[in-house]
């Protein structure tokens, strides 16, 4: 009956907790009757993000959440419970108070960051969590060592599936730099593996570029922005 939960407040705050289903009815009651401004709740498995327009609502919800958990003999883990200022006006408000950039938070394998595009418009930047990418690259390295003496086409076919799967999830808008970094490190790991097969054959980067072009999917954004996807799924 335990799980990791993240609660993020729209104009400001997020907290991470240990929870189960107790949050669901609490969220519905707050959305309909308690919140004095906009409220958004996102939940996937045992991870949850809640955003509020007003900080006062966020803090009251946090208190109610503690009480709700106590009814199930649960408690919020202080190390996984955060309340942060986040959103369109977060950077400006923090600057007025002499604070640094808005804090970031992690959700479903991405780090969410307050950013602005080239036109100065606010956007929520999603980038692959660095620690998650490092874990994936480490697993690729270990598996390639195991496959070291397989024919290159077999290695390439396996890597193609792995990279395609990574891109299928992570190729979201604003995450291009992480995709390119992943592509580069996969090539480097593959190159080092091939060089370890024989001391006589010093596999060159130029040859590696050719192999990557033949076998690895190119890093590119595959998913639309969330508002465009919503407009397609729920046209007016």
């Amino acid at each position: 009956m335990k799980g990791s939960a993240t609660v993020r407040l729209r104009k400001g705050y997020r907290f991470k907790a240990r929870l189960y289903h107790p949050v669901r009815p609490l969220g519905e009651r707050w959305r309909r009757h308690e919140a004095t401004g906009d409220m958004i709740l996102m939940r996937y498995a045992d991870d949850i993000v809640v955003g509020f327009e007003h900080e006062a609502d966020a803090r009251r919800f946090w208190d109610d959440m503690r009480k709700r958990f106590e009814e199930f003999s649960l408690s919020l883990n202080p190390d996984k419970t955060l309340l942060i200022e986040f959103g369109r006006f977060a950077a400006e408000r923090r600057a007025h108070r002499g604070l640094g950039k808005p804090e970031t938070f992690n959700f479903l394998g991405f780090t969410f960051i307050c950013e602005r595009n080239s036109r100065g418009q606010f956007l929520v930047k999603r980038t692959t969590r660095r620690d998650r990418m490092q874990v994936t690259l480490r697993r690729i390295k270990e598996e390639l060592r195991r496959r070291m003496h397989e024919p290159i086409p077999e290695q390439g076919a396996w890597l193609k599936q792995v990279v395609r799967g990574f891109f299928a999830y992570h190729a979201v808008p604003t995450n291009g730099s992480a995709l390119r970094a992943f592509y580069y490190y996969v090539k480097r790991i593959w190159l080092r593996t091939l060089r370890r097969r024989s001391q006589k054959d010093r596999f060159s980067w130029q040859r590696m570029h050719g192999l990557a072009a033949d076998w690895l999917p190119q890093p590119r954004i595959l998913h639309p922005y969330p508002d465009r996807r919503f407009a397609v799924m729920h046209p007016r």
Side-chain angles (χ1 to χ4, degrees), residues 7-14 40 42 49-55 83-95 97 100-105 112-117 120-125:
V7 183
R8 191 249 329 177
L9 309 189
R10 183 175 169 187
K11 285 191 178 177
Y13 315 85
R14 163 217 163 186
I40 183 171
M42 295 174 289
V49 171
V50 183
F52 292 92
E53 182 176 359
H54 302 305
E55 178 180 351
L83 185 63
I84 67 171
E85 189 169 13
F86 191 95
R88 185 180 305 275
F89 307 109
E92 180 181 350
R93 290 174 176 173
R94 289 175 64 85
R97 301 197 302 271
K101 293 181 179 180
E103 297 174 86
T104 64
F105 68 92
F112 287 70
I113 307 168
C114 291
E115 268 289 359
R116 293 195 177 276
N117 60 22
Q121 299 171 326
F122 173 79
L123 62 82
V124 176
K125 180 178 181 179

Side-chain angles (χ1 to χ4, degrees), residues 35-204:
T36 61
D38 289 340
M39 172 184 173
I40 183 171
L41 189 151
M42 295 174 289
R43 177 177 175 269
Y44 183 83
D46 59 356
D47 211 358
I48 182 173
V49 171
V50 183
F52 292 92
E53 182 176 359
H54 302 305
E55 178 180 351
D57 283 347
R59 296 192 178 279
R60 289 195 299 116
F61 181 84
W62 196 353
D63 289 338
D64 278 3
M65 194 168 163
R66 288 196 191 96
K67 297 174 183 177
R68 178 68 174 170
F69 279 17
E70 290 173 358
E71 296 176 6
F72 291 83
S73 298
L74 298 172
S75 62
L76 295 176
N77 187 327
D79 296 328
K80 296 180 178 293
T81 303
L82 301 174
L83 185 63
I84 67 171
E85 189 169 13
F86 191 95
R88 185 180 305 275
F89 307 109
E92 180 181 350
R93 290 174 176 173
R94 289 175 64 85
H96 287 165
R97 301 197 302 271
L99 302 176
K101 293 181 179 180
E103 297 174 86
T104 64
F105 68 92
N106 297 324
F107 183 56
L108 300 182
F110 293 97
T111 298
F112 287 70
I113 307 168
C114 291
E115 268 289 359
R116 293 195 177 276
N117 60 22
S118 57
R119 298 186 299 275
Q121 299 171 326
F122 173 79
L123 62 82
V124 176
K125 180 178 181 179
R126 288 180 290 174
T127 184
T128 300
R129 286 180 55 174
R130 184 175 300 179
D131 57 341
R132 297 289 178 86
M133 185 187 296
Q134 289 174 343
V135 168
T136 302
L137 291 171
R138 187 158 52 246
R139 290 173 178 171
I140 291 173
K141 181 179 179 180
E142 293 170 356
E143 182 62 19
L144 273 179
R145 283 186 177 180
R146 193 183 69 82
R147 296 171 176 264
M148 181 184 303
H149 297 291
E150 290 184 357
I152 288 178
E154 292 186 16
Q155 293 181 0
W158 176 75
L159 279 173
K160 183 178 183 179
Q161 289 183 328
V162 173
V163 174
R164 178 180 292 165
F166 185 88
F167 287 171
Y169 184 80
H170 292 271
V172 300
T174 73
N175 199 31
S177 59
L179 301 181
R180 291 188 291 272
F182 182 79
Y183 181 82
Y184 167 78
Y185 284 117
V186 168
K187 285 200 304 181
R188 193 170 75 169
I189 292 170
W190 195 9
L191 174 64
R192 290 181 174 179
T193 301
L194 293 174
R195 284 178 173 175
R196 288 169 62 93
R197 299 208 306 184
S198 173
Q199 295 182 351
K200 297 180 180 180
D201 186 8
R202 298 304 296 172
F203 219 90
S204 68

